[in-house]
Amino acid sequence: MGVQGLTGFVEERGAFFTELRVRDTKLVIDGSSLYHRLCFASAVDFRRGGDYGPFAAAVRDFFGSLRACRVAPFVVLDGGRGADDRKLPTLRGRAAERLRAAHGLSRGDGGCLVPLLTREAFVQALGRLGVPFVQCFAEADREIAGLANRWGCPVLSLDSDFCVFDLAAGYCPLSHFQWQSVCAGEGAQGCYVPARCFSAEKFCRHFSQLNRSLLPLFAVLNGNDYLDLAALEAFFSRVRLPRGGAAGKGGKHVRLQGLLNWLAQFAEPSEAVDNVLKYLKKHRREEIRELLCSSMEDYTPSDVNLEDFFQNGKYECEAARKADLPQWVVDALAKGKLAPFISDALILRSTFLHVQVENMQRPSAHSTALPIRQVIYGLLLKVSQNTEAASPSKQTNELPVVCEFDRLQKTLKKTFVQAASLPTDFCDDHFPLDKLMEVPMSCRQMLLLETLGVKMSFLESIPSHLQLPVAVTCYWICCSEPKVKLHQLKALLLMIVSGELQRITNDPDPTAERAEDDSIAYNEFLKWKEKKLQNKDFDLDAAHSFCQWQCCLQMGLYLNQLLCTPLSEPDLTGLYNGTLVHRLYQELKSTPSVENLFTSSPKMTQLYQVLLNKVES
């Protein structure tokens, strides 16, 4: 994320920071940076699909530290790719990197990979903690900068683009934000989080008093997420940069420093742009000028009024107006009630499916959930079936097509997928996307359950917050290829029951009833877990099967959200623990009695039996 090589350069020098004590202030937080940072800090195992419980605990502790220092956090998340889709080449590159990391992990190499449902678990945790957040319509950087400047407070992120924005109260990198080491303050001032703030002033002074207004041009010339350097290679091959010149030996930082020193001779951006263009062929100059100027605009804070959203719940931006989306969709996106996947499918007819640590010889784990995605596409695109849309299918009488980026063995491939034709009562004119909210709940619930292949009568004996996961599990059993093994199913259900047991044992609600036998069962379970989780066996085929379940759960969640939650949304915290489900699977193969893990609690034993009987039937 951000300007190529800049984070490394700034970190190596260390001289461009000032010490900061963060307390008694608003703080605008880049949500994407934060959940990546907390995910990597809280995870010990990236091979088994993620442990959302420890991740949610890290999120809770982080905001607990801020509260102790009287810091008011406002989290701003990236939305979809935006109608111009300018970052597509960068996103394809990142998806390919993710694929390489997943392949390495599947073979036992080290590495990190954000588990599939991390973003959803983060949004749920923010909601539970009452932390104000917004999901922008597209990339969040400019809106983060706009809000921080409006309030005169710092930005917390891990994105070197914020070194380039002109921020009134500066940019605090998450790498220097010591929220786990809160310091007791002197006297009445109270405790604070020790942090460091990037000083653009010190940075510019270091490069011959470089004019700060030239930093956006530096970012664009040096290469960022929007502009590839290929167009400017002619400039770099011909210009003589101070201090060691072009790329040559000495790597990225030599060129980066040379470029900053070269820019320091100019008073303002337009003069510098004219001098860049001198090195290019005449017929390309105007095109490159336009490209440079529009790319520099990415570093001007946005005029979207996020303060209005945080005060009145109203999110308005030009791009959303131009996209002409139903108002309820715009509102649901801003409140994080719909995922960016939905806006990408709706606006671009194109989606990315994130790879997991799966068996690369098999079809992608996402292929299991394809019928659910086709129903999502059918609901979203029915509204524009008769419009000229930017898709491979221009014939209006055909079903719309969506381009999916997914894994084919070890490479990223795009596939064109046809939207599902919806059941007749969903094809009536009274059922366009903008009227979806008005459709009777029973109809919306029926479409969800028909897609997952279950009936409501079947789910009635299941606790409401587990109905969606159980329906998804039934779908997984029917649609997975190769077929789900019984030990895999039992391991998954035992894991869900353990999450339930943890939830009722640790429920902070003082009015909640706690049975003694539940506490005993929970303590016995913790002892068992402590002993058994040391085992590091890894079964790639079982991992592939559990990845398929997560893919089905993700799309089940998205379809449920799009249909305005006809079933309760399950809490992901206790729903999936990859380390545990793999351990249970290994144990069940050798010690079937592990099925009796919760015998001390009649309630949990009964829940497990109900789930198993339902799903097996």
Side-chain angles (χ1 to χ4, degrees):
M1 290 190 317
V3 184
Q4 288 170 20
L6 184 57
T7 295
F9 174 70
V10 164
E11 290 286 343
E12 269 177 32
R13 296 302 177 284
F16 307 129
F17 292 105
T18 54
E19 299 299 319
L20 194 65
R21 296 179 169 190
V22 182
R23 61 180 159 207
D24 301 299
T25 180
K26 288 183 165 116
L27 185 65
V28 177
I29 300 174
D30 173 354
S32 302
S33 284
L34 179 61
Y35 79 71
H36 278 86
R37 180 89 182 165
L38 294 178
C39 168
F40 293 144
S42 64
V44 282
D45 182 355
F46 292 99
R47 294 178 84 191
R48 293 170 173 80
D51 298 341
Y52 299 116
F55 169 69
V59 176
R60 184 193 64 223
D61 294 347
F62 175 84
F63 287 104
S65 292
L66 296 191
R67 195 167 54 248
C69 302
R70 300 157 314 286
V71 173
F74 293 85
V75 176
V76 185
L77 283 154
D78 287 323
R81 284 147 51 192
D84 52 14
D85 208 14
R86 284 168 57 211
K87 273 178 83 165
L88 180 61
T90 301
L91 293 171
R92 289 181 76 157
R94 282 191 198 148
E97 274 169 36
R98 194 184 157 93
L99 186 45
R100 282 191 291 276
H103 180 235
L105 282 161
S106 73
R107 292 183 316 182
D109 303 343
C112 298
L113 189 70
V114 175
L116 187 68
L117 298 170
T118 305
R119 193 183 198 281
E120 284 71 33
F122 181 63
V123 168
Q124 285 187 350
L126 294 177
R128 264 196 315 278
L129 296 166
V131 174
F133 72 95
V134 64
Q135 181 173 273
C136 296
F137 190 68
E139 174 96 357
D141 290 7
R142 294 183 60 223
E143 293 180 38
I144 289 171
L147 182 64
N149 281 352
R150 194 179 190 93
W151 284 341
C153 69
V155 166
L156 182 66
S157 176
L158 201 54
D159 180 344
S160 55
D161 278 328
F162 290 110
C163 296
V164 177
F165 277 98
D166 191 354
L167 296 171
Y171 154 52
C172 299
L174 269 159
S175 48
H176 295 289
F177 192 78
Q178 298 173 54
W179 62 273
Q180 286 165 304
S181 309
V182 168
C183 295
E186 316 80 38
Q189 284 191 293
C191 56
Y192 62 88
V193 178
R196 300 177 88 191
C197 188
F198 173 78
S199 165
E201 201 180 317
K202 287 185 179 184
F203 183 76
C204 290
R205 205 182 307 138
H206 180 81
F207 293 102
S208 318
Q209 301 292 342
L210 172 76
N211 183 336
R212 187 170 180 165
S213 68
L214 287 157
L215 286 180
L217 180 59
F218 151 70
V220 171
L221 290 172
N222 189 60
N224 63 11
D225 287 351
Y226 287 113
L227 194 69
D228 185 25
L229 284 175
L232 297 163
E233 274 314 318
F235 163 71
F236 282 108
S237 61
R238 295 172 66 191
V239 70
R240 291 197 52 169
L241 298 178
R243 286 187 60 187
K249 286 182 182 168
K252 279 181 189 167
H253 294 179
V254 172
R255 174 144 112 177
L256 183 144
Q257 291 179 83
L259 180 57
L260 286 159
N261 281 318
W262 183 79
L263 285 168
Q265 66 186 299
F266 304 111
E268 37 102 41
S270 59
E271 186 191 349
V273 168
D274 289 340
N275 276 274
V276 170
L277 298 177
K278 283 179 189 171
Y279 292 93
L280 306 180
K281 291 196 169 88
K282 279 185 178 165
H283 70 276
R284 293 216 62 194
R285 288 179 187 173
E286 282 316 302
E287 172 204 347
I288 301 289
R289 183 196 299 279
E290 257 176 59
L291 189 62
L292 292 176
C293 292
S294 67
S295 299
M296 282 155 62
E297 284 291 303
D298 293 324
Y299 293 100
T300 54
S302 160
D303 52 7
V304 171
N305 185 354
L306 286 188
E307 184 178 42
D308 196 26
F309 174 81
F310 286 120
Q311 287 175 352
N312 311 312
K314 268 174 62 181
Y315 182 86
E316 290 181 357
C317 82
E318 191 56 36
R321 272 196 294 278
K322 282 183 183 162
D324 196 27
L325 301 184
Q327 190 57 46
W328 80 266
V329 172
V330 174
D331 293 343
L333 285 167
K335 290 172 181 166
K337 292 179 177 177
L338 289 175
F341 174 91
I342 297 294
S343 60
D344 288 345
L346 185 54
I347 295 164
L348 299 171
R349 299 196 175 195
S350 166
T351 55
F352 276 87
L353 303 173
H354 290 301
V355 70
Q356 301 169 83
V357 181
E358 49 196 82
N359 187 335
M360 299 291 164
Q361 304 309 311
R362 292 217 166 119
S364 160
H366 285 284
S367 53
T368 308
L370 174 61
I372 310 178
R373 291 198 302 279
Q374 287 175 301
V375 171
I376 292 173
Y377 301 152
L379 280 168
L380 289 173
L381 300 175
K382 184 163 48 61
V383 66
S384 52
Q385 232 167 286
N386 298 322
T387 59
E388 190 81 350
S391 86
S393 142
K394 291 286 186 201
Q395 291 87 347
T396 50
N397 58 345
E398 283 187 16
L399 286 165
V401 173
V402 173
C403 167
E404 293 187 335
F405 289 94
D406 193 11
R407 168 183 83 71
L408 181 66
Q409 293 192 317
K410 286 178 280 188
T411 54
L412 186 71
K413 286 275 185 253
K414 62 178 179 182
T415 314
F416 293 102
V417 169
Q418 213 167 41
S421 169
L422 298 176
T424 40
D425 48 347
F426 275 78
C427 295
D428 298 347
D429 286 340
H430 72 270
F431 220 138
L433 185 62
D434 55 345
K435 299 277 193 293
L436 198 54
M437 300 277 278
E438 298 163 26
V439 174
M441 206 272 278
S442 57
C443 294
R444 288 181 274 123
Q445 190 180 76
M446 197 165 72
L447 178 64
L448 174 67
L449 296 178
E450 276 181 14
T451 305
L452 298 175
V454 297
K455 287 190 161 59
M456 195 59 213
S457 56
F458 169 86
L459 293 175
E460 270 159 3
S461 58
I462 309 282
S464 63
H465 61 284
L466 292 179
Q467 288 176 342
L468 184 60
V470 168
V472 161
T473 304
C474 294
Y475 173 92
W476 170 65
I477 289 170
C478 295
C479 300
S480 282
E481 202 51 60
K483 287 290 168 215
V484 176
K485 293 179 176 162
L486 184 59
H487 289 326
Q488 291 167 356
L489 170 63
K490 287 181 172 178
L492 191 87
L493 296 178
L494 285 167
M495 174 194 70
I496 291 173
V497 172
S498 78
E500 273 301 281
L501 182 59
Q502 181 174 355
R503 185 181 68 81
I504 59 173
T505 310
N506 296 337
D507 191 339
D509 179 4
T511 61
E513 267 187 62
R514 275 183 203 77
E516 178 132 355
D517 44 27
D518 290 339
S519 299
I520 294 167
Y522 185 57
N523 289 328
E524 284 171 0
F525 166 68
L526 288 180
K527 281 181 207 151
W528 177 88
K529 198 164 91 163
E530 193 67 30
K531 201 165 63 203
K532 297 296 184 184
L533 290 187
Q534 305 313 313
N535 188 314
K536 294 292 177 235
D537 289 352
F538 182 70
D539 180 326
L540 186 57
D541 286 334
H544 192 85
S545 190
F546 296 134
C547 285
Q548 289 173 318
W549 184 80
Q550 280 209 72
C551 291
C552 297
L553 180 63
Q554 183 186 42
M555 290 305 149
L557 275 173
Y558 289 175
L559 179 57
N560 190 47
Q561 289 171 346
L562 182 58
L563 291 167
C564 315
T565 54
L567 292 182
S568 300
E569 181 157 314
D571 176 4
L572 294 169
T573 310
L575 202 56
Y576 189 83
N577 179 318
T579 314
L580 176 61
V581 78
H582 277 258
R583 191 67 250 119
L584 285 164
Y585 171 65
Q586 296 291 354
E587 285 289 310
L588 282 162
K589 288 196 296 187
S590 58
T591 321
S593 63
V594 83
E595 239 186 307
N596 305 322
L597 197 52
F598 304 111
T599 41
S600 312
S601 164
K603 194 166 153 192
M604 292 300 126
T605 306
Q606 186 193 4
L607 178 62
Y608 173 67
Q609 282 308 329
V610 167
L611 295 180
L612 185 62
N613 295 341
K614 282 285 179 194
V615 174
E616 278 189 305
S617 70

